[in-house]
Amino acid sequence: MTSNSDTLKPTFTPEEIEALYFNTARQGEIELLAEFIRAGMDINHQNNEGHTALILASYHNQLSAVELLLEKGADPNIIDNKGAAALTGVAFKGYIPIAERLIKAGANVDSENNLRRTALMFAILFGRNEMVKFLLQAGANPNHTDGEGLTPLQLAENQGDAELIQLLQKQN
């Protein structure tokens, strides 16, 4: 005979648990995210696209979730299937407070994606001038060459952004 509590106990597949975990990070639900971590969820677990909870929380501007994940040992240098680390998504979105936390936690400021583009290059391509300034101050390489042979200065020139061109020329 089964007890009433056994018949009411919800069961989730590993895929459903993973989806809930990643949605929790993406939406910045701190209490639930902390519960997943306490329950033993691998903090650096990657989904089928290579995203970690930290990558998703960063990309969706969930500063409190980012701080919790970093505090609990999330690796800021894990890359997704496209070679992008958390800092890459933050750079093209322009989320400086999250970029600061990631770099403070040891994120490689010059991490390259599969096209050899860095966070600095993405910030340039998406017109995130304040992020460009921040990344340069954080030590980003202004002379890096991507997979197409382009430097940050050349990308800024292609974008026609006079402010960034001037800024990057001063770096050389």
Side-chain angles (χ1 to χ4, degrees):
M1 177 174 233
T2 60
S3 71
N4 213 13
S5 64
D6 288 338
T7 58
L8 297 177
K9 185 177 180 182
T11 56
F12 295 99
T13 66
E15 294 79 17
E16 290 170 327
I17 293 169
E18 177 185 273
L20 287 169
Y21 173 62
F22 287 123
N23 284 336
T24 298
R26 185 181 292 113
Q27 295 167 4
E29 296 176 28
I30 302 305
E31 294 81 17
L32 191 52
L33 187 58
E35 196 58 41
F36 271 108
I37 296 166
R38 274 193 297 278
M41 187 71 179
D42 175 4
I43 202 159
N44 291 315
H45 178 73
Q46 292 177 273
N47 67 14
N48 62 349
E49 295 175 342
H51 297 147
T52 63
L54 181 62
I55 289 172
L56 293 170
S58 297
Y59 183 83
H60 291 280
N61 200 22
Q62 299 296 339
L63 182 58
S64 295
V66 168
E67 289 173 338
L68 173 67
L69 290 161
L70 290 171
E71 173 188 309
K72 298 296 184 182
D75 183 347
N77 291 307
I78 291 176
I79 57 171
D80 67 15
N81 296 351
K82 294 180 180 178
L87 186 60
T88 308
V90 168
F92 90 78
K93 291 280 199 147
Y95 303 148
I96 292 174
I98 292 179
E100 289 172 332
R101 300 309 190 288
L102 292 170
I103 291 170
K104 185 178 178 184
N108 176 358
V109 73
D110 286 320
S111 178
E112 301 175 354
N113 74 355
N114 294 346
L115 300 174
R116 296 199 60 228
R117 291 212 168 121
T118 63
L120 176 63
M121 295 174 138
F122 276 98
I124 291 166
L125 289 170
F126 287 86
R128 306 295 185 194
N129 294 17
E130 293 306 310
M131 179 63 77
V132 170
K133 293 172 191 172
F134 168 76
L135 291 169
L136 288 169
Q137 290 171 350
N141 180 0
N143 299 307
H144 178 82
T145 304
D146 71 9
E148 296 176 348
L150 298 172
T151 64
L153 177 58
Q154 290 169 320
L155 291 173
E157 288 170 344
N158 290 347
Q159 297 294 102
D161 191 320
E163 178 188 2
L164 288 183
I165 293 167
Q166 186 177 25
L167 178 67
L168 290 162
Q169 286 173 336
K170 289 179 185 176
Q171 301 293 315
N172 295 325

